[in-house]
Amino acid sequence: MAVVITGASRGIGAGLAAKYREMGRDVIGTGRSVAAQIQLDVTRPASHKEMAEALGDVPVDLLVCNAGVYLDKGDDLDTGYGADLWAQSFATNVTGVFLGIQALLPHLRRANEARIAIISSQMGSDTRAHTGASGGSYIYRSSKAAVLNLGLNLANDLRPEGIAVGIYHPGWVQTDMGGSTAEITTDEAVDGLIERFEALSLETTGCFENWDGRPHAF
């Protein structure tokens, strides 16, 4: 089973890659660093093409779209949220996800029952009962809402081809992005997410779930 994980150089991505390798899976991790198995800058269309070419004819059973940024953390409403941050965030968190999936579609089509897992966030939810509508972090929230919408529509379009798509909230995780006071460890998030990915099928395609299996409101 070939697993491609974007943003695998650190945090959740690195944890997922390590765990899948322990499970005996063939893991291809991407990252911007030259140390990554496959160097990928998700904001560059040409980089996605290079990634696909580097994989050759390998069938991809699972694509985990994990690469993401949170550039407006702590920004002030009166002075922050510059246009450059909007552009950079959407280029990574939304366009980068789409381009990665588009580039690897031929590889996913070569696999039996291929799956795509998109890491979004509860902060992309429009349900006020969740922290998705508690204010602030406008760019990050908007980008995660957009990638949630992207995943739902891809699930609809790829179902006839036998490719399942799931969208996931990884939890508030103790990573560089989540901070040291976050609720769960990277290992907890990784173990939960892998359970979700393994359970993803055409019957559950289009799901939006928490790392621990609870359905998340859209």
Side-chain angles (χ1 to χ4, degrees):
M1 174 183 177
V3 180
V4 175
I5 303 170
T6 67
S9 299
R10 61 180 183 172
I12 295 172
L16 288 168
K19 185 69 174 183
Y20 270 121
R21 289 191 181 103
E22 288 178 13
M23 295 167 63
R25 304 292 173 79
D26 182 13
V27 178
I28 300 100
T30 80
R32 288 179 293 182
S33 168
V34 294
Q37 282 177 276
I38 293 182
Q39 194 171 8
L40 172 67
D41 180 346
V42 298
T43 67
R44 292 180 55 246
S47 191
H48 290 278
K49 182 179 179 181
E50 291 163 5
M51 170 186 64
E53 291 174 347
L55 288 174
D57 295 328
V58 173
V60 173
D61 299 274
L62 173 63
L63 168 60
V64 182
C65 302
N66 167 74
V69 293
Y70 187 175
L71 302 179
D72 61 322
K73 189 174 185 178
D75 268 21
D76 177 78
L77 180 58
D78 291 324
T79 60
Y81 307 105
D84 58 329
L85 295 186
W86 284 92
Q88 293 172 42
S89 298
F90 271 75
T92 300
N93 295 352
V94 187
T95 310
V97 172
F98 178 80
L99 293 178
I101 293 170
Q102 186 180 52
L104 295 187
L105 270 178
H107 299 78
L108 291 159
R109 287 169 174 149
R110 292 188 189 104
N112 293 320
E113 300 179 352
R115 291 163 290 153
I116 299 170
I118 297 174
I119 303 301
S120 180
S121 170
Q122 68 176 10
M123 291 172 71
S125 169
D126 64 3
T127 304
R128 291 182 181 275
H130 297 84
T131 57
S134 61
S137 299
Y138 299 107
I139 301 174
Y140 183 75
R141 293 180 191 277
S142 298
S143 69
K144 289 302 183 179
V147 83
L148 170 58
N149 183 276
L150 172 65
L152 295 175
N153 283 282
L154 284 169
N156 180 69
D157 289 343
L158 293 176
R159 180 197 293 269
E161 298 194 49
I163 300 174
V165 181
I167 307 99
Y168 303 94
H169 168 56
W172 183 18
V173 189
Q174 295 167 13
T175 60
D176 290 343
M177 183 183 291
S180 60
T181 60
E183 294 175 344
I184 61 173
T185 66
T186 301
D187 286 342
E188 288 175 300
V190 164
D191 288 344
L193 287 170
I194 287 179
E195 286 186 23
R196 307 285 76 72
F197 302 164
E198 295 298 296
L200 178 61
S201 68
L202 290 178
E203 285 69 38
T204 59
T205 191
C207 62
F208 181 28
E209 295 179 340
N210 289 283
W211 65 279
D212 57 4
R214 289 174 296 130
H216 202 294
F218 293 94

